[in-house]
Amino acid sequence: MINSRHSLRSSLVPLSFLALSLAAPGLSAQEFRGTISGSVTDPTGAAISGAQVLIRETATGTLNKTLTDASGQYVVPFLPPGTYEVSVEMTGFKKVLRSGLTLESAAHPIIDLTLPLGNTQETISVNADTPLVDTANSSVGQVITTHQVEDFPINGRTPLVLTELAVGVVATSYPSQVHPFDNNGASSFSIGGTPQQTSEILLDGSPDTVWSGAIAYSPIQEAVQEVSVRAFDTDAGFGHTIGGVMNQITKSGSNAYHGSLYEFGVVSPLGANSYFNKHVSNPANIKPRPVPHFNQFGGTFGGPIRIPHVFNGTDKLFFFVAAEGLPDSTPSSTLLTVPTAAERTGDFSALLPLGCPKGYLGTDPSHCSDGTVNAYQIFNPFTAVQNGTTVTRSPIANNNLAAAGLPLNAIALNYLKLYPAANIPAANADGTQNYISNSPASDSFNNEFIRIDWNMSARSHMVVDYRRNLRINHKFDYFDNGATGQGSTRGNRGATVDEVFTVNPSTVLDVRANWTDNYEYTYPASTSFSPTTIGFPASLTAGSRFPMLPFLNFSTFQTLGFNTASNDPAQSYQLFGDLVKVAGRHTIKVGGDGRQYRLDLTTFGDASGNFTFGPTFLQSSSSGSAPKPVAYELASFLLGLPTAGNYTQATTANMHAYYMAFFVQDDWRVNDNLTFNLGLRYDHQNPQEEKLSRVVNGFNPTAATNVSGAAAAAYAASPISQVPAGSFNTSGGLTYPTGATNGAIYQTLSHNVSPRIGFSFTPPALNKKTVIRGGFAMFVQPINLSNLGANGTTSSSAQVNNEGFTSTTPYVATNNNYLTTANTLSNPFPNGFTVAPGSSLGASTFLGQTVAFAAPAVHDPYSLRWNLGVQQSLTPSLLVEVDYVGNHSVHLPVGATQLNVIPRQLLSTLATRDNTLAASYNGTSCLAM
């Protein structure tokens, strides 16, 4: 998020919890694979150097080989989750085989083995599960296991919601169904007291977020092997977040063919009818029960790639594919107001008795018996006369436009054809709420995933995946004709290539490339409309970047048209690499992470026009009360007299930013009971830049504008006592990126170096069943373009300020206080449209209008976090863990800072209204402090 001004905020969030776990906590949250390490000794406890260690994944037969070093230590990193066996052999000793080891995501079990003296042809087999206690590091987290992912009922079958089961995770939204296409809904959680959408979401270790921090591609539940959650980690490879890391690990093929088919649905006949459908005065008007439809179905299949008589991929080449479909339709009963048959002809006489329940003044329905104006009486805008500063009008006889000889606007009559007739008796005496719509919100969603695992040799292992999903949504089409409502298309695509290469027995390299593409397009329910098809001049269609039905803004009747179209494609690219080197009891890791983020943002707004119909033309006088909206809104519309409106010609912002990080980590196993984790990480993100500099990058309070002199002179001619003429400041204007700023909308001031320190201590006297762990780390939050709400929630709309490049032409209703009309609905913009000046006017751009801009200089938010905890293994399958996690966050962003503050010396200090001060401001109300 980018704050609109400098903001500093800190929070101290202690988190304590008691966890019962059936699985061991893991190592690095950024790396989804695990590590197996340990020592090899002889019966006397002396280290055995040069022993061959072979680690085999039992389902795929994947082999990883290494040798123990001079101190008898071995480390094998980058092992995919699965079931493993470890064998060690050395001349003069019996071979030892340890099987039944379950390795979870990011886990790091330490397997120490003792070789008995004897012949290498003899094998001693030990079947034992992975130790539950984590003696390798001080990370705090939890793994949602394969069985839990498969068996837990998830409403919507979106695996990421399982993160809410992990310790340190709190949901930030109310419980509801979360579909695989609900990007923001699935990302609504907080880890360790940090804001939502500030945690890193990964898919097999690669970034899987859209530009706002929400999840991009949601994998199929049947394709997910584990969900790993890390609330705290001292590994320097962990970064790009001040929260935690969620890693969804996908399944791979194995040496045996496996598949699944499933279908989940809603049993429609068991649903009840809605209250408004069946509670009507006339039983004949009962509406039938809306029938929802929800079907989520799919399947998976995986195994070795084999071509008979040509190629056998057993132990070498595997595939796994998954596909899912989700068509749904959810009707919703909505009460609306449509014009009555009489109102469509301009006859509003039925409303008059409602305004005078005690009768009229004589036979004149425009005034009630007490002399007051009938609240439903409308007045003739073409009879306006001016007396002094007051404009008065004559009433329309019997509220009937046609009888008064007032022609109805042709465009308005075309719009009326889009309203259906009322289908229920009106709920109110004024005829409102006379239509019920059961228009459904419908989705068509499909999701595909494919993964290839290739064991090129015992030294090289490659994983390639491709994923895509697409959702097409249609909703709010209340009249089933496209006059209301919207459609949207949201899709995600991505691919990852990852290779692990063993350089030598003590050195392993991992390199990865990842691409993620997210696009979201929102459009009207029907694209067959344009301003021309409804009768507007052709200029409204020709000047529009997105021709659609111009929007009619009513407060009583159902609005027509659309004005929130947008197109927001976004991409991210990553290159990641790290090298692990074993040197005695030190496991040293160095690596780098480089990313590019792109966002093309177009918010079309009122691309074909927006018109509001207020009471001003139809009220008795400029100082009189307005008629009721049900009377004036439609009448003003039928006469073609909007009171406000605008026409927008939007530009596109092509944004991009770069992120880079470098890290070094040393996991130092001092002895069999004590391990230190020591690391440093450097994070830096370049500012967001617009390709053609079509953005604002700040505000210069001292810049002169082309009206500064005239404004100062005008004020000096008639100043107020509170602000002397010499103190009246007319300077200040927007600034734009030029030259060396390369389209940057702000400058980043942070180059953060993050320390990581942790320890894991196993008291020798407690038989390796108790571990005391603790650590301290600093984490840096990336900056994005999301709008931040006052409650800390992150919006899915981007904050890009391009004043000057997007033009808005206001509709001019009158030039003389509504005495006469300046324009009508028939030709609302006769003088054409305002041309966007770009940045050519400099500080004089957008004078007299509201402006917004990002903070010109931004500090990266960061958090200082620490933990201290104890793990106790009670049984081979039961672990008790107690942890305390503290979090202190700095430079957290705020949504906006208001610059239009009133100087304190001009504010009242009374607890109640200060009438004396108010009078000195000519009746203008003032704030009380």
Side-chain angles (χ1 to χ4, degrees):
M1 286 76 62
I2 302 175
N3 31 343
S4 58
R5 292 286 291 172
H6 291 287
S7 66
L8 301 178
R9 185 160 61 101
S10 64
S11 61
L12 181 62
V13 184
L15 170 67
S16 59
F17 50 81
L18 174 66
L20 294 180
S21 175
L22 299 182
L27 172 62
S28 169
Q30 196 82 5
E31 175 54 59
F32 73 97
R33 289 159 295 207
T35 299
I36 295 178
S37 67
S39 61
V40 178
T41 59
D42 65 16
T44 67
I48 299 178
S49 173
Q52 179 174 280
V53 180
L54 190 149
I55 298 179
R56 177 177 178 270
E57 204 281 319
T58 58
T60 62
T62 302
L63 296 176
N64 289 269
K65 298 178 180 180
T66 189
L67 299 175
T68 58
D69 62 13
S71 61
Q73 302 293 313
Y74 73 92
V75 177
V76 180
F78 307 122
L79 298 174
T83 302
Y84 286 83
E85 59 184 26
V86 179
S87 63
V88 181
E89 59 182 88
M90 182 67 181
T91 303
F93 297 88
K94 297 179 181 179
K95 179 180 177 181
V96 173
L97 175 65
R98 173 77 178 268
S99 59
L101 297 174
T102 300
L103 183 69
E104 294 182 340
S105 170
H108 186 173
I110 294 178
I111 308 299
D112 295 330
L113 298 170
T114 299
L115 299 185
L117 296 172
N119 193 318
T120 56
Q121 301 303 315
E122 298 181 64
T123 300
I124 298 178
S125 298
V126 179
N127 191 310
D129 206 346
T130 308
L132 291 182
V133 293
D134 186 355
T135 61
N137 61 79
S138 59
S139 65
V140 176
Q142 190 170 340
V143 173
I144 311 301
T145 67
T146 303
H147 292 304
Q148 291 169 331
V149 173
E150 292 175 348
D151 297 340
F152 283 178
I154 306 175
N155 191 1
R157 297 181 59 79
T158 302
L160 190 63
V161 301
L162 291 171
T163 59
E164 297 173 14
L165 301 176
V167 292
V169 181
V170 177
T172 57
S173 62
Y174 58 85
S176 63
Q177 186 179 50
V178 179
H179 304 88
F181 48 75
D182 294 332
N183 300 55
N184 281 15
S187 309
S188 298
F189 52 79
S190 167
I191 296 184
T194 57
Q196 73 173 43
Q197 290 183 210
T198 59
S199 295
E200 181 88 313
I201 300 175
L202 307 175
L203 182 69
D204 291 332
S206 297
D208 185 31
T209 56
V210 300
W211 57 268
S212 64
I215 187 174
Y217 173 80
S218 183
I220 300 166
Q221 182 178 349
E222 293 283 321
V224 173
Q225 181 175 347
E226 295 177 350
V227 177
S228 171
V229 183
R230 291 291 177 267
F232 177 83
D233 208 311
T234 53
D235 192 302
F238 163 97
H240 201 255
T241 174
I242 62 169
V245 169
M246 283 65 58
N247 212 333
Q248 299 183 93
I249 317 304
T250 60
K251 295 177 179 178
S252 67
S254 64
N255 281 327
Y257 290 108
H258 291 283
S260 65
L261 293 173
Y262 61 89
E263 201 277 343
F264 296 86
V266 172
V267 183
S268 301
L270 299 182
N273 203 355
S274 73
Y275 175 88
F276 293 107
N277 277 353
K278 60 185 180 180
H279 285 77
V280 294
S281 57
N282 185 352
N285 293 322
I286 293 178
K287 294 291 180 182
R289 174 180 55 82
V291 180
H293 299 279
F294 181 94
N295 291 281
Q296 193 169 7
F297 56 88
T300 66
F301 188 63
I305 296 177
R306 295 171 181 161
I307 302 175
H309 309 295
V310 177
F311 177 78
N312 185 356
T314 302
D315 290 346
K316 295 180 181 180
L317 190 61
F318 310 92
F319 74 94
F320 181 85
V321 296
E324 180 175 82
L326 199 169
D328 70 8
S329 177
T330 308
S332 177
S333 298
T334 307
L335 279 174
L336 307 171
T337 300
V338 298
T340 65
E343 289 169 344
R344 292 168 186 267
T345 67
D347 183 1
F348 299 90
S349 59
L351 298 172
L352 291 172
L354 303 177
C356 298
K358 295 183 179 180
Y360 304 135
L361 183 63
T363 60
D364 180 12
S366 67
H367 287 74
C368 300
S369 58
D370 59 2
T372 59
V373 176
N374 190 322
Y376 289 88
Q377 176 66 51
I378 53 179
F379 290 77
N380 192 332
F382 305 108
T383 62
V385 295
Q386 184 168 344
N387 296 310
T389 59
T390 302
V391 176
T392 59
R393 302 175 184 85
S394 302
I396 295 175
N398 206 32
N399 261 10
N400 193 316
L401 305 182
L406 299 176
L408 304 187
N409 184 272
I411 294 177
L413 294 175
N414 288 335
Y415 268 107
L416 278 182
K417 297 174 184 177
L418 303 177
Y419 280 114
N423 61 4
I424 59 172
N428 303 304
D430 61 2
T432 56
Q433 295 187 339
N434 60 357
Y435 187 89
I436 188 167
S437 171
N438 289 323
S439 173
S442 61
D443 292 293
S444 174
F445 175 76
N446 56 75
N447 193 345
E448 297 88 31
F449 175 82
I450 181 170
R451 168 172 167 162
I452 303 293
D453 291 75
W454 184 16
N455 296 327
M456 292 182 283
S457 69
R459 298 178 60 188
S460 182
H461 309 281
M462 179 178 286
V463 177
V464 179
D465 75 49
Y466 176 79
R467 62 264 183 191
R468 105 177 249 287
N469 62 30
L470 178 66
R471 177 213 189 183
I472 299 176
N473 172 259
H474 188 87
K475 59 185 177 181
F476 306 141
D477 189 2
Y478 297 125
F479 306 140
D480 198 27
N481 59 6
T484 67
Q486 69 178 56
S488 63
T489 299
R490 177 187 297 166
N492 298 278
R493 299 178 296 171
T496 302
V497 178
D498 185 290
E499 182 182 5
V500 175
F501 180 76
T502 302
V503 180
N504 57 51
S506 63
T507 308
V508 183
L509 174 68
D510 176 41
V511 292
R512 179 189 311 141
N514 180 71
W515 161 67
T516 299
D517 178 66
N518 167 263
Y519 53 96
E520 187 155 4
Y521 175 41
T522 304
Y523 44 88
S526 174
T527 57
S528 62
F529 291 109
S530 72
T532 308
T533 61
I534 206 74
F536 283 98
S539 59
L540 270 73
T541 299
S544 177
R545 285 199 63 188
F546 195 151
M548 63 187 82
L549 184 65
F551 187 76
L552 302 185
N553 187 21
F554 297 119
S555 63
T556 301
F557 295 91
Q558 173 56 41
T559 60
L560 296 178
F562 189 68
N563 67 339
T564 57
S566 63
N567 189 21
D568 308 334
Q571 303 84 34
S572 69
Y573 305 88
Q574 182 200 39
L575 289 176
F576 177 90
D578 59 351
L579 182 74
V580 175
K581 175 69 175 179
V582 180
R585 288 185 171 270
H586 295 268
T587 302
I588 300 171
K589 177 170 62 176
V590 295
D593 184 358
R595 309 185 192 186
Q596 184 194 59
Y597 290 92
R598 291 187 170 274
L599 171 64
D600 295 340
L601 176 67
T602 308
T603 302
F604 295 99
D606 300 312
S608 291
N610 179 337
F611 303 98
T612 299
F613 300 89
T616 322
F617 277 122
L618 300 183
Q619 62 190 47
S620 61
S621 71
S622 56
S623 59
S625 299
K628 295 289 186 179
V630 69
Y632 73 72
E633 279 192 323
L634 195 64
S636 180
F637 165 63
L638 290 174
L639 294 173
L641 301 178
T643 53
N646 57 68
Y647 185 94
T648 301
Q649 292 173 306
T651 190
T652 296
N654 301 116
M655 308 302 301
H656 65 272
Y658 295 91
Y659 166 83
M660 62 179 178
F662 303 97
F663 56 88
V664 57
Q665 178 76 23
D666 181 9
D667 294 325
W668 177 22
R669 192 180 184 195
V670 180
N671 54 48
D672 291 348
N673 302 309
L674 178 63
T675 299
F676 284 114
N677 312 114
L678 308 172
L680 281 177
R681 182 183 179 94
Y682 170 80
D683 291 270
H684 180 68
Q685 178 174 311
N686 287 353
Q688 292 278 352
E689 299 178 1
E690 208 283 326
K691 182 178 180 180
L692 301 177
S693 299
R694 294 169 297 190
V695 286
V696 171
N697 71 345
F699 186 88
N700 183 356
T702 62
T705 69
N706 55 21
V707 299
S708 296
Y715 180 78
S718 181
I720 61 175
S721 59
Q722 291 83 2
V723 182
S727 301
F728 185 71
N729 184 9
T730 60
S731 300
L734 295 170
T735 61
Y736 295 87
T738 57
T741 56
N742 293 324
I745 63 176
Y746 58 87
Q747 295 300 313
T748 50
L749 302 179
S750 304
H751 295 266
N752 295 289
V753 177
S754 309
R756 310 291 172 90
I757 303 171
F759 73 92
S760 180
F761 174 62
T762 305
L766 299 179
N767 299 320
K768 294 189 177 182
K769 292 186 177 182
T770 303
V771 180
I772 302 171
R773 308 183 310 145
F776 170 84
M778 174 178 168
F779 303 96
V780 181
Q781 175 185 338
I783 299 169
N784 63 45
L785 294 172
S786 297
N787 280 311
L788 186 67
N791 60 353
T793 58
T794 302
S795 170
S796 58
S797 61
Q799 179 182 336
V800 175
N801 304 303
N802 49 17
E803 294 96 327
F805 295 94
T806 291
S807 69
T808 298
T809 304
Y811 171 79
V812 179
T814 181
N815 294 314
N816 51 13
N817 195 26
Y818 295 93
L819 178 66
T820 60
T821 61
N823 298 294
T824 69
L825 199 62
S826 298
N827 190 12
F829 304 102
N831 299 320
F833 307 110
T834 303
V835 177
S839 59
S840 61
L841 300 179
S844 298
T845 306
F846 250 55
L847 291 179
Q849 303 180 63
T850 301
V851 298
F853 51 92
V858 178
H859 290 271
D860 286 310
Y862 66 89
S863 65
L864 304 175
R865 309 181 73 181
W866 58 94
N867 83 299
L868 182 65
V870 177
Q871 291 183 345
Q872 176 65 50
S873 177
L874 301 180
T875 72
S877 61
L878 183 62
L879 173 79
V880 175
E881 179 177 4
V882 179
D883 280 286
Y884 175 85
V885 177
N887 175 49
H888 177 68
S889 298
V890 181
H891 293 310
L892 293 181
V894 296
T897 300
Q898 176 59 257
L899 299 182
N900 297 325
V901 295
I902 300 175
R904 185 174 180 84
Q905 65 269 22
L906 302 181
L907 298 175
S908 172
T909 58
L910 298 181
T912 57
R913 177 179 170 85
D914 191 331
N915 292 318
T916 302
L917 185 60
S920 70
Y921 283 102
N922 297 320
T924 302
S925 61
C926 58
L927 301 177
M929 296 294 288

